[in-house]
Amino acid sequence: METIRSIAIPPLTEDLERVLIDADTIQRRVNELANQINNDYKDIEEPLILVGVLKGSFIYLSDLCRKLTVPHVVDFIAVSSYGKSTVSSGNVRLLMDTRENLENHHVLIVEDILDTGYTLEYLVKNFKSRGTKSVETTVLLEKPERHLVPVDLKYVGFTVPDVWVVGYGLDFGEQYRTLPYIAEMKRK
Ligand code: 5GP
Ligand code: MG
């Protein structure tokens, strides 16, 4: 069978400082996390509901769910806390709810990055109040230096320093989301 390789790795633009996590390393880690999830949920009776937090998680979610062997359904939610700023306001708003009814299901929230923790704290509380069987979290990235509220993270891809990161779903003003690697933005 023909092996399909990614051909073009976009070069760093002048706004990006350096690559923090390359594409192969991300894929290896996503495989490991999927294996853990497959193992942890192997005995569930109804499909696991994956809830991706738009927009940043969409690439991580798509790679992760295609490695899952446990029955699952994919759903999304949209929240807003930052507006156009890069500093969390701590004031999380639900912009779009899930389509699935979460009641009596195991739910796994899929998030791009944990920064202050406000977003996941809000979502975990909100989903637990809906009669779910369990609510767990997975984040591709975590900024340990920035936590303001405690969040019980179950599956973490990588920890990153306190810098603004882009790529693999994460943006800066809607740019750089589709880079295949995670890069650090230059401080302006
Ligand atoms: P928290 O509520 O934990 O402070 O914020 C989480 C959200 O902030 C993430 O879902 C993400 O959208 C955004 N965020 C936090 N740090 C970064 C970062 O370094 N880069 C990008 N692109 N988004 C970030
Ligand atoms: Mg996000």
Side-chain angles (χ1 to χ4, degrees):
M1 201 169 62
E2 191 190 350
T3 312
I4 300 168
R5 290 169 190 280
S6 48
I7 302 157
I9 300 285
L12 290 180
T13 71
E14 58 188 18
D15 293 333
L16 303 181
E17 185 71 41
R18 63 191 167 122
V19 174
L20 287 176
I21 311 166
D22 65 62
D24 288 346
T25 307
I26 296 173
Q27 291 311 316
R28 274 199 301 276
R29 187 72 188 121
V30 172
N31 286 348
E32 288 171 3
L33 294 174
N35 288 341
Q36 282 180 38
I37 294 166
N38 287 331
N39 190 49
D40 291 351
Y41 291 93
K42 62 178 180 304
D43 297 325
I44 58 171
E45 281 155 18
E46 55 296 289
L48 170 67
I49 303 185
L50 301 170
V51 179
V53 185
L54 291 171
K55 296 177 189 172
S57 72
F58 83 109
I59 293 183
Y60 173 42
L61 174 62
S62 358
D63 281 347
L64 183 73
C65 67
R66 286 178 295 169
K67 305 284 181 206
L68 293 185
T69 52
V70 288
H72 60 275
V73 296
V74 173
D75 205 342
F76 292 98
I77 199 161
V79 292
S80 156
S81 68
Y82 286 15
K84 288 196 166 59
S85 155
T86 58
V87 182
S88 175
S89 62
N91 181 10
V92 181
R93 277 190 309 137
L94 189 59
L95 301 179
M96 187 195 85
D97 204 352
T98 57
R99 294 212 192 168
E100 298 297 319
N101 181 355
L102 305 184
E103 195 177 350
N104 281 322
H105 282 79
H106 296 280
V107 174
L108 179 60
I109 305 172
V110 183
E111 180 51 317
D112 52 358
I113 184 165
L114 185 98
D115 185 27
T116 62
Y118 285 123
T119 307
L120 278 181
E121 185 203 36
Y122 168 84
L123 287 177
V124 169
K125 267 196 197 136
N126 183 307
F127 289 176
K128 280 190 172 161
S129 74
R130 300 186 191 193
T132 43
K133 282 192 172 160
S134 69
V135 179
E136 298 292 357
T137 55
T138 176
V139 294
L140 181 75
L141 307 173
E142 180 194 7
K143 286 182 185 167
E145 295 161 46
R146 301 252 319 157
H147 295 188
L148 292 178
V149 285
V151 176
D152 195 7
L153 291 178
K154 187 84 182 265
Y155 311 97
V156 179
F158 306 91
T159 58
V160 290
D162 181 14
V163 295
W164 194 257
V165 294
V166 294
Y168 200 72
L170 293 108
D171 73 314
F172 177 71
E174 293 304 322
Q175 297 299 301
Y176 309 112
R177 274 196 208 281
T178 56
L179 290 175
Y181 47 75
I182 301 281
E184 170 184 345
M185 291 284 301
K186 274 187 188 150
R187 280 172 208 266
K188 284 272 165 69

